[in-house]
Coordinates of all heavy atoms in Angstrom, one line a residue:
Chain B
H302 N -36.6 51.6 -37.1 CA -36.5 52.5 -36.0 C -36.4 51.7 -34.6 O -35.8 52.1 -33.7 CB -37.5 53.6 -35.9 CG -37.3 54.5 -37.0 ND1 -36.5 55.7 -36.8 CD2 -37.7 54.6 -38.3 CE1 -36.4 56.4 -37.9 NE2 -37.2 55.7 -38.9
A309 N -32.1 37.4 -30.5 CA -33.4 36.7 -30.8 C -33.2 35.2 -30.9 O -34.1 34.5 -30.3 CB -34.1 37.4 -32.0
P317 N -44.6 27.9 -19.6 CA -45.7 28.5 -20.3 C -46.7 29.3 -19.4 O -47.2 30.3 -19.8 CB -46.5 27.3 -20.9 CG -45.4 26.2 -21.1 CD -44.4 26.5 -20.0
I321 N -44.3 37.3 -17.1 CA -43.4 38.2 -16.3 C -43.3 39.5 -17.1 O -43.0 39.6 -18.2 CB -42.0 37.6 -16.2 CG1 -42.2 36.2 -15.5 CG2 -41.1 38.5 -15.3 CD1 -40.9 35.3 -15.4
K336 N -25.0 43.3 -3.0 CA -25.9 43.0 -4.1 C -27.1 42.1 -3.7 O -28.3 42.6 -3.9 CB -25.2 42.2 -5.2 CG -25.7 42.2 -6.5 CD -24.7 41.8 -7.6 CE -23.6 40.9 -7.0 NZ -24.0 39.7 -6.4
A341 N -32.8 41.8 -2.1 CA -33.8 41.3 -1.2 C -34.6 42.5 -0.7 O -35.9 42.4 -0.6 CB -33.2 40.6 0.0
A344 N -36.9 43.7 -3.6 CA -38.0 42.8 -3.7 C -39.0 43.1 -2.6 O -40.3 43.1 -2.9 CB -37.5 41.4 -3.6
L357 N -34.7 35.4 -8.9 CA -34.0 34.3 -9.5 C -32.5 34.5 -9.0 O -31.8 35.4 -9.4 CB -34.0 34.2 -11.0 CG -33.5 33.0 -11.8 CD1 -34.1 32.9 -13.2 CD2 -32.0 33.0 -11.8
E373 N -35.8 27.8 4.1 CA -35.1 26.6 4.1 C -35.7 25.5 3.4 O -36.9 25.6 3.0 CB -34.8 26.2 5.6 CG -33.7 27.1 6.2 CD -33.5 26.7 7.7 OE1 -34.2 25.8 8.2 OE2 -32.6 27.3 8.3
A376 N -36.7 22.7 -3.0 CA -37.8 23.0 -3.9 C -38.6 21.8 -4.3 O -38.1 20.7 -4.3 CB -37.3 23.6 -5.2
R380 N -44.6 17.5 -12.1 CA -44.5 16.8 -13.3 C -43.9 17.7 -14.4 O -42.9 17.2 -15.2 CB -45.9 16.3 -13.7 CG -45.8 15.2 -14.8 CD -47.1 15.0 -15.4 NE -47.6 13.7 -15.1 CZ -48.7 13.2 -15.7 NH1 -49.5 14.0 -16.4 NH2 -49.1 12.0 -15.4
T388 N -41.3 33.1 0.3 CA -40.8 33.7 1.6 C -42.1 33.9 2.4 O -43.2 33.8 1.9 CB -40.2 35.1 1.3 OG1 -41.3 36.0 0.9 CG2 -39.2 35.0 0.3
N398 N -29.4 26.7 -3.6 CA -29.5 26.2 -2.3 C -30.8 25.5 -2.1 O -31.0 24.6 -1.1 CB -29.4 27.3 -1.2 CG -27.9 27.4 -0.8 OD1 -27.0 26.8 -1.3 ND2 -27.7 28.2 0.3
V433 N -42.6 41.8 -11.5 CA -41.1 42.0 -11.6 C -40.4 40.7 -11.2 O -40.7 40.2 -10.1 CB -40.5 43.1 -10.6 CG1 -39.1 43.4 -10.9 CG2 -41.3 44.4 -10.9
L436 N -33.1 39.4 -11.0 CA -32.0 38.5 -11.2 C -30.8 38.9 -10.3 O -30.3 40.0 -10.5 CB -31.6 38.4 -12.6 CG -32.6 38.2 -13.7 CD1 -31.9 38.2 -15.1 CD2 -33.4 36.9 -13.5
T442 N -18.0 39.2 -15.0 CA -18.6 39.4 -16.3 C -18.4 38.1 -17.1 O -18.2 38.2 -18.3 CB -18.0 40.6 -17.0 OG1 -16.5 40.4 -17.1 CG2 -18.2 41.9 -16.4
M470 N -13.9 50.9 -10.4 CA -13.3 50.4 -11.6 C -13.9 49.0 -12.0 O -14.2 48.9 -13.2 CB -11.8 50.1 -11.3 CG -10.9 49.6 -12.4 SD -10.7 47.8 -12.4 CE -9.6 47.6 -11.1
A475 N -18.9 46.3 -15.3 CA -20.2 45.7 -15.4 C -21.1 46.6 -16.3 O -21.9 46.1 -17.1 CB -20.8 45.5 -14.0
H500 N -22.1 54.3 19.2 CA -21.7 54.8 20.6 C -21.9 56.4 20.6 O -22.6 57.0 21.4 CB -20.3 54.4 20.9 CG -20.2 52.9 20.8 ND1 -20.7 52.1 21.7 CD2 -19.5 52.2 19.9 CE1 -20.4 50.8 21.3 NE2 -19.7 50.9 20.3
A520 N -27.1 60.6 -14.1 CA -27.5 60.0 -12.8 C -28.0 61.1 -11.9 O -27.6 62.3 -11.9 CB -26.3 59.3 -12.2

Side-chain angles (χ1 to χ4, degrees):
Chain B
H302 286 276
I321 305 172
K336 198 166 21 60
L357 189 163
E373 287 178 357
R380 196 194 245 186
T388 68
N398 269 8
V433 185
L436 310 178
T442 54
M470 180 265 287
H500 308 288

